Amino acid sequence: MKLVTASEMREIDRTAIERYGVPGPVLMENAGRGAAEAILRAMPELKNGQKAAIFSGPGNNGGDGFVIARWLAERGVLITVYLLTSPEKLKGDALTNYRIIQHLNIPVIAVPGDQEWARYQDRAASEHVFFIDAIFGTGLKGEVRGVMATVINWLNELKKPVWSVDIPSGLDADAGRPLGTAVRADCTITFGLPKIGQIVSSGPEFSGPLKIIDIGIPARAVEENKIRRELLDRNVCHDWILPRPPDSHKGTYGHVLVIAGSPGKSGAAILTCLGALRSGAGLVTCGLPKGLNPVFETKVTEAMSEPLPETIDGTLSTAAYDRIMELIENKKVLAIGPGLSLHPETQALIRRLVAEADIPMVIDADAVRAIKGYLHILKESINIRILTPHPGEMGWLAGKKTWEIQENRLSMAEGLSKEYGIYTVLKGAATLIAAPNGETAVNSTGGPALASGGMGDVLTGTIAGFMAQGYNPFRAACLGVFCHGLAGDRLSGQKKTSGILATEVAQAIPGILAALRISGDNTHGQSDNHHL
C-alpha cells in the first residue's frame, strides 16, 4: 500500500477531481459515510440512542465531521457537534454540509473561543460516551493554539474513547510529531491512503490503530502521481515472494558468507547464520576468528565454518583479508559486522572489505561503527551495500544525537541512501528501508517483543538470505524486515509476554514465508485495520 505525504495526498485528490471528474463533495460524502460505518462496526451499541460528540474545525476535516454527524444521526446515534470556529468562517464543501445538518436539526454548538468552551466542557464530558476529533486535517503546518489546543488537551484527559478523522488533530502529517499538541486517538480513520506521519516518529502513539477508508479515488489518480513510498503489509510482500520450483536445489538459492563474531560474541555469528538459513538461503558459510570455531560448529549444524586469522585478543585480524577475498568468489552476498568488535585491527579489516570486496554486502553492528568518519568508502565501493543501523548508530554516522535521528527518521534514511548510493535500513519502530533511487518503504510489523539481544543479528542474516535467493536489494531488505517483525508479533501474541528469544524469531520465519506464499489477503495490518 502506498504511503503519502500531505502534499502528495492533496495532489492525488486534485487529480481525481480535475482529471477524472470525481466531484469534491462526492469525496467528502464517501469519507464521512465510510468513517461513520467504521465507527458503527466497532461500536454498534451507539445506535441504541447513545450520545456522541463531534468536534469540527473550520476546514474540510470539519466538513468530514459534519457528514459523519449526519450518517450517525440517521442510524440512531444522538449527536452533538461542537464547532470550534464561527459558522461565518466555513466555506466550500464544509459549508454545504454544515447547512445540511442544520436543516436536519442536528445540534451544533459554536465554541469559537476558550470562554465559550468553558461553558460546555463539563456537560460535554458527562453526557457523551464517544468523541470524534474532526478539528484539523493533514494540511496543518503551524502550532495549534487557542480553543483548538484547549479542546485537544481536554480530549486527551478524557477516560472515554476518542477517534480521529483522517489524522489526529495537531499531528504533523509528514513528520509524525505533534505541532505543539495533538490528539491521542484510540483509533484513526484515514482516507484514501495512510499518511507518513501516522507511521513514523510519534505517529503511531498518537494515531492508534488505523482504519483506511476507500473514498472513491480512482487507482489511476494514485498511479499517475508516482508515489515512491510503500507501507509494507502482507499484500505487498505476498506479491513479491518468488516461486521455488519443484526441481530446484540448494545451489538455486544462493550461498551467503557471514563474517561475524569475537570472544564473548560468538552468538552474533550463530544468529546471523540462522537468519540466513531460515529465510531460505541454500548455503551459508561463516568466517570467524579461529578460536571461536569449535563453539560455532557445536551450535549450528547446517552452516559451514571457516576459521580465520585472529589478533592476540581473539578478534579478526587484517591477515584474514586474503582468505575472505577468496571466500567471496562463489558467494552471492556477504553479511558483515555482528559481534566483530571495535578492535582497531578488526575495524581496519572491515573498512577495507567494504571498500574493495566486489560482492553485495549487508553491513551491520560493528561494521557500521567501523565506517564512522569513512563514509566516502561507500561511494567508492564497487557493489551493492545495505546498511542496517539502529538510531544510535545512525546518529554516530550523521554526527547527530539519537533524538534528532528519531525526529527526522525518514529524511535521515532517505538522505543517507541518496548521498552515498546505498540502501539504508533504519531500525526501530516502523523500520525504514530507503533505496538510492528514492524508493522508500515503512514497515508495519514488529514491536516491543523484538527489544532484546540478537534480534538485529537475525535480521542481518535474513536480509542476506533473501538477497542470495535472487531478490533485488530493496525487496530483500523489505521482506527481511517485514518477516522478522511479523515473526516477533506472532510469538508475542502466542505467548502474551515478553522474553521472546532471537533464536525463536529465526525459527518462526519459515512459517511466516509459508503463509505469505499461500495468500496475502488475510493480512496483518489489512487495509481496514492497520495495527502499527
Side-chain angles (χ1 to χ4, degrees), residues 55 84 114 117 121 133 135-136 144-159 162 169-170 178-184 206:
F55 293 87
L84 305 185
D114 285 333
W117 172 240
Q121 60 181 5
D133 153 40
I135 302 170
F136 292 119
V144 182
R145 301 183 185 280
V147 68
M148 281 82 163
T150 302
V151 170
I152 287 171
N153 292 331
W154 178 84
L155 286 169
N156 288 340
E157 294 174 0
L158 285 176
K159 303 301 181 184
V162 177
S169 291
L179 293 166
T181 188
V183 171
R184 293 181 179 270
F206 286 89

Side-chain angles (χ1 to χ4, degrees), residues 7-29:
S7 61
E8 287 169 343
M9 193 68 235
R10 283 195 298 273
E11 188 61 23
I12 291 169
D13 286 343
R14 189 193 66 78
T15 302
I17 294 167
E18 296 181 7
R19 181 171 175 80
Y20 292 102
V22 182
V26 170
L27 295 178
M28 183 173 286
E29 181 70 13

Side-chain angles (χ1 to χ4, degrees), residues 292-449:
L292 299 182
N293 197 60
V295 174
F296 181 89
E297 290 193 338
T298 62
K299 282 289 192 178
V300 185
T301 307
E302 297 83 359
M304 296 169 280
S305 64
E306 181 71 26
L308 295 171
E310 59 187 24
T311 66
I312 193 172
D313 296 315
T315 68
L316 283 184
S317 78
T318 52
Y321 176 82
D322 290 340
R323 180 56 183 150
I324 292 173
M325 292 298 281
E326 292 173 358
L327 288 171
I328 70 174
E329 289 182 4
N330 65 340
K331 307 301 187 297
K332 291 288 188 181
V333 60
L334 168 61
I336 186 169
L340 276 178
S341 86
L342 301 181
H343 191 286
E345 190 171 340
T346 307
Q347 294 271 291
L349 170 67
I350 293 168
R351 286 191 289 272
R352 189 176 178 191
L353 289 169
V354 170
E356 299 177 6
D358 188 8
I359 185 174
M361 193 178 294
V362 183
I363 302 168
D364 184 38
D366 293 334
V368 173
R369 302 181 191 197
I371 62 175
K372 177 187 177 183
Y374 299 86
L375 288 176
H376 63 277
I377 66 176
L378 295 172
K379 286 185 177 180
E380 298 165 3
S381 60
I382 55 178
N383 212 312
I384 294 162
R385 300 294 183 252
I386 301 178
L387 225 62
T388 63
H390 58 58
E393 292 165 341
M394 189 72 168
W396 300 333
L397 293 177
K400 296 183 179 295
K401 303 291 186 183
T402 301
W403 66 265
E404 294 177 286
I405 300 297
Q406 291 293 71
E407 287 197 351
N408 301 278
R409 285 172 57 83
L410 192 67
S411 61
M412 294 304 302
E414 291 180 341
L416 187 70
S417 289
K418 291 176 183 177
E419 183 173 358
Y420 294 100
I422 63 171
Y423 295 82
T424 302
V425 177
L426 180 52
K427 295 183 286 194
T431 292
L432 298 168
I433 304 95
N437 66 357
E439 197 173 9
T440 307
V442 183
N443 191 35
S444 66
T445 65

Side-chain angles (χ1 to χ4, degrees), residues 156-180:
N156 288 340
E157 294 174 0
L158 285 176
K159 303 301 181 184
K160 296 180 180 180
V162 177
W163 285 33
S164 287
V165 175
D166 205 20
I167 194 164
S169 291
L171 186 68
D172 188 310
D174 295 344
R177 299 191 303 267
L179 293 166

Side-chain angles (χ1 to χ4, degrees), residues 207-218:
S207 300
L210 287 182
K211 293 184 180 293
I212 302 169
I213 303 299
D214 181 354
I215 62 171
I217 294 173

